[in-house]
Amino acid sequence: MSTQHRQVSRVIFNVFKKRHGLHIQVDASRYLEEILEEELDLTEALEKIVKAYKKRYNDNTSPIVDKASLAQVVESLQTSAAAAAALTPFIRVEEDIDNSLESLTINEFDKDIDISQHFHVVNAFDMPRLHYDYHQKMFVKSTVPSSLLASAKEKGDMFCERINIVRQRLLRNESFCASSAHLSDNDVYLKITPIKSLIGHDRGYFILFGMLTQLEEGKLFLEDEDANIELDISGCVYSEGLFTDNSFVVVDGVYGDDHIFHVEEIGFPPPERREITNSTFPHLDFTGLPQPLIEQNILRLEETSHIDVSFVIISDVWLDQPKVMNALEVIFRGYANAQVPLAFILMGNFTKRPFNYTNNESTQYKDNFSALGDMISSFPSLATHSYFVFVPGAQDPWGRNTLPQPPIPDIFTSRLRQKVRRVIFTSNPCRIRYCTQDIVIFREDILAKLWRNVLLNPQLEIAQEPEKHLIRTIIDQGHLSPLSMSIRPIYWAYDHALRLYPLPQTLILADQCANYGASYGGTHCINPGSFPDSDFTWSIYYPGRRVSEKCVLN
């Protein structure tokens, strides 16, 4: 070993072991010696690596540093440095940011943060499967690998998991929480009674929580983990929402002598704002993305400072229709000559007619995406700097009828990938992490499906707009598809990918109903509408301000 290598090795040992209490393995130390051999300020470089290592692995930092973990951290730092050196429309140089923040972590990136490097798309099939342990009151990672061909047990576990997650948030709500302040007065909070506890308490008034089911033809039941009971809803009062099979509800009423629960009022469990969920389960990331190397408060500052950063959201992009392609070209030209959007979120169906699995159909389908790639590449600013996220519809390959739906196969999109720098084909549904913000995208004509299968006629006197009923239902249920499995099948082992827990800051429900943008429960909900069926209407979302706007092509 040369003298220079021994000196580098000694500095590595001092920084890792003496300063930070980390034991670095021999191969990891040699790896650092190689990449830092020409480094002028060796100690400062090592300090940055150690800080990034600790941040990446958060509370799970191992005292033994291996080469693989270290290499991931170094590659992330190198990527961030390369991004900061590149000129993009999404860099804001803030010279005095350190004066407003105590943290100096920003110095590691020379004060130039390219927010486009903090845009990540999460495929539904890549999300970690977290199981809620009702006894320990915490989420744990499932040890059972997910499979499309799951065992029958997975179906029961799926419903148990759903009811446990909704119930734990319900019991934490101030209206249902028996805190110490309530011990002197039992009437100040609403007590949930298990269904099995009704036995022997005829004519008693109770509040129940469970799932609506039709176990017998023409009869409605409420079911929890241990029991079920028939409901009489003939005289009940209810508010806005779409009550369907498999939806979770809170009911209050009287347990009759006929052993039927006579409901006086029925409603959805109240939603839990994201801030409360984050404070209850801190340091728990449901997306599985690695921890960013920049402090959250700095990322949040960058997020809110870029008020002009936008996402263009278009649904039903029928690439086989000339009028749609012409409209897209006009839209691309307009954005290329103005403020370049950070992302174009393009959703299926990508053909007007359902995809048929024939050779001619496959060739035409591939040519459609190739033509789109040629069009985008004619606008260099968009093709270079904007993300293009493609979310399939039910009629796209290989859609079938089960959620979640995998991405469009690479065989159809190879030319487009060559033409556009930042293109992502993802699943339906999927998630986007932008700085500190979570965005859920779901392409589904969910309103019509829910409306056709309601058990109670929607209260249009309370809310005339159908979208209000839809938003209330999806957010309160905490699930993208609160329907019977016979209506909308779901891969049992991937049901966690359809959960809305914690609630995202933004929810894109791409439906064929009219364009809207509304907020409920701390979540901003957006529907861009059907692009070709609405005279070319789409939505634009500004994450820095968390507002959306309806756009129409003139």
Side-chain angles (χ1 to χ4, degrees):
M1 180 185 291
S2 66
T3 304
Q4 184 178 2
H5 273 212
R6 282 196 296 269
Q7 290 175 346
V8 173
S9 178
R10 190 178 301 113
V11 175
I12 292 173
F13 176 81
N14 289 337
V15 172
F16 276 80
K17 182 67 176 179
K18 293 187 176 181
R19 292 191 183 184
H20 297 278
L22 297 173
H23 175 73
I24 184 168
Q25 294 182 346
V26 175
D27 57 345
S29 179
R30 289 175 180 170
Y31 167 72
L32 289 180
E33 290 173 15
E34 294 175 1
I35 64 173
L36 299 177
E37 186 176 5
E38 304 298 329
E39 184 67 39
L40 298 178
D41 194 338
L42 183 60
T43 302
E44 182 181 357
L46 287 170
E47 284 289 346
K48 291 180 181 179
I49 293 174
V50 173
K51 288 179 182 178
Y53 176 83
K54 287 185 172 182
K55 176 166 283 296
R56 164 66 65 90
Y57 297 102
N58 205 9
D59 296 334
N60 298 322
T61 303
S62 171
I64 301 177
V65 182
D66 59 82
K67 180 181 177 181
S69 301
L70 200 61
Q72 290 181 356
V73 172
V74 171
E75 288 173 6
S76 297
L77 288 172
Q78 291 172 339
T79 301
S80 299
L87 183 62
T88 77
F90 310 111
I91 294 180
R92 182 178 69 92
V93 180
E94 182 62 74
E95 296 181 352
D96 55 359
I97 193 171
D98 291 329
N99 296 328
S100 61
L101 297 168
E102 294 180 359
S103 173
L104 297 180
T105 310
I106 191 68
N107 288 335
E108 297 173 12
F109 300 90
D110 296 326
K111 300 182 181 179
D112 297 346
I113 297 180
D114 182 0
I115 58 168
S116 67
Q117 297 299 315
H118 299 279
F119 180 95
H120 306 281
V121 179
V122 182
N123 188 306
F125 296 95
D126 295 333
M127 288 186 63
R129 190 178 181 184
L130 298 177
H131 160 72
Y132 181 74
D133 190 315
Y134 188 73
H135 301 288
Q136 298 185 49
K137 304 292 190 272
M138 62 182 294
F139 282 91
V140 295
K141 192 168 184 179
S142 175
T143 57
V144 180
S146 298
S147 171
L148 297 181
L149 301 176
S151 64
K153 180 178 178 296
E154 294 274 14
K155 184 177 182 180
D157 292 344
M158 176 187 69
F159 285 111
C160 288
E161 193 67 23
R162 284 193 195 180
I163 195 170
N164 280 335
I165 291 177
V166 177
R167 180 171 54 191
Q168 59 89 23
R169 88 168 197 236
L170 175 67
L171 296 179
R172 194 163 46 247
N173 184 277
E174 59 182 7
S175 299
F176 297 88
C177 179
S179 65
S180 57
H182 298 148
L183 295 180
S184 60
D185 187 354
N186 291 330
D187 294 329
V188 295
Y189 79 96
L190 304 175
K191 182 180 179 181
I192 301 292
T193 301
I195 295 176
K196 65 180 181 181
S197 299
L198 298 182
I199 299 175
H201 293 83
D202 297 0
R203 302 182 185 178
Y205 180 88
F206 299 96
I207 299 176
L208 309 179
F209 165 70
M211 184 176 72
L212 292 177
T213 57
Q214 297 185 79
L215 299 178
E216 298 180 22
E217 184 70 29
K219 294 182 179 181
L220 185 62
F221 290 79
L222 187 73
E223 184 176 5
D224 62 15
E225 282 187 299
D226 301 311
N228 63 75
I229 187 171
E230 185 180 346
L231 300 179
D232 173 16
I233 58 173
S234 58
C236 74
V237 176
Y238 57 98
S239 184
E240 61 192 61
L242 303 173
F243 297 85
T244 63
D245 253 350
N246 288 6
S247 60
F248 294 100
V249 294
V250 178
V251 300
D252 61 82
V254 177
Y255 182 53
D257 295 329
D258 53 2
H259 293 174
I260 295 176
F261 194 81
H262 300 270
V263 180
E264 296 180 2
E265 187 172 356
I266 183 171
F268 289 142
E272 181 177 82
R273 298 183 71 90
R274 185 183 180 92
E275 297 80 14
I276 298 177
T277 307
N278 288 343
S279 64
T280 306
F281 304 105
H283 311 302
L284 184 61
D285 190 346
F286 290 80
T287 64
L289 289 171
Q291 290 291 325
L293 302 180
I294 302 177
E295 297 289 346
Q296 286 287 312
N297 55 351
I298 296 176
L299 272 181
R300 191 173 294 109
L301 176 64
E302 289 295 315
E303 178 185 313
T304 55
S305 298
H306 287 81
I307 59 175
D308 293 328
V309 166
S310 62
F311 300 163
V312 175
I313 307 166
I314 308 177
S315 181
D316 279 346
V317 184
W318 295 345
L319 301 179
D320 59 339
Q321 299 297 304
K323 65 175 184 177
V324 173
M325 294 296 284
N326 292 335
L328 285 176
E329 186 172 12
V330 173
I331 291 173
F332 291 155
R333 181 177 294 109
Y335 285 117
N337 295 329
Q339 178 73 30
V340 175
L342 176 60
F344 287 86
I345 300 173
L346 306 180
M347 289 171 279
N349 303 308
F350 290 103
T351 55
K352 185 176 182 179
R353 294 179 300 174
F355 178 82
N356 292 319
Y357 299 90
T358 64
N359 185 49
N360 290 337
E361 285 273 352
S362 299
T363 302
Q364 184 60 50
Y365 193 83
K366 182 177 181 179
D367 291 344
N368 293 340
F369 276 103
S370 299
L372 179 63
D374 293 338
M375 180 191 296
I376 296 173
S377 66
S378 66
F379 303 101
S381 59
L382 302 183
T384 303
H385 300 304
S386 294
Y387 286 93
F388 284 82
V389 181
F390 291 86
V391 181
Q395 297 178 2
D396 292 307
W398 318 112
R400 302 179 184 173
N401 191 38
T402 308
L403 293 172
Q405 180 179 344
I408 295 173
D410 293 349
I411 189 174
F412 299 111
T413 62
S414 57
R415 181 174 176 84
L416 188 147
R417 292 175 184 274
Q418 295 172 0
K419 292 282 186 176
V420 183
R421 179 186 172 201
R422 292 173 165 174
V423 59
I424 302 171
F425 285 85
T426 186
S427 62
N428 180 34
C430 66
R431 292 161 198 260
I432 290 176
R433 168 72 55 79
Y434 167 68
C435 292
T436 66
Q437 193 169 152
D438 281 354
I439 301 166
V440 174
I441 303 172
F442 187 39
R443 173 63 186 97
E444 177 81 350
D445 297 330
I446 188 67
L447 177 59
K449 289 185 174 70
L450 286 169
W451 207 278
R452 285 196 303 264
N453 292 279
V454 292
L455 303 172
L456 295 166
N457 292 326
Q459 292 280 30
L460 295 178
E461 300 82 5
I462 299 176
Q464 295 183 351
E465 301 86 350
E467 61 267 20
K468 288 188 176 181
H469 294 272
L470 171 64
I471 293 171
R472 177 77 179 268
T473 302
I474 297 296
I475 297 296
D476 287 356
Q477 292 298 308
H479 199 276
L480 290 170
S481 185
L483 284 162
S484 168
M485 291 289 153
S486 61
I487 305 299
R488 195 60 166 113
I490 293 173
Y491 291 117
W492 304 331
Y494 288 96
D495 185 68
H496 62 281
L498 280 79
R499 292 181 202 152
L500 294 178
Y501 193 80
L503 285 176
Q505 285 90 348
T506 306
L507 172 61
I508 300 173
L509 292 171
D511 203 314
Q512 288 201 336
C513 63
N515 179 293
Y516 62 77
S519 296
Y520 172 69
T523 296
H524 186 66
C525 302
I526 304 170
N527 174 32
S530 176
F531 186 59
D533 287 342
S534 60
D535 295 328
F536 304 115
T537 298
W538 72 96
S539 293
I540 185 167
Y541 176 58
Y542 297 95
R545 292 174 278 159
R546 296 188 184 176
V547 297
S548 62
E549 294 179 359
K550 176 182 177 180
C551 302
V552 181
L553 190 64
N554 294 325

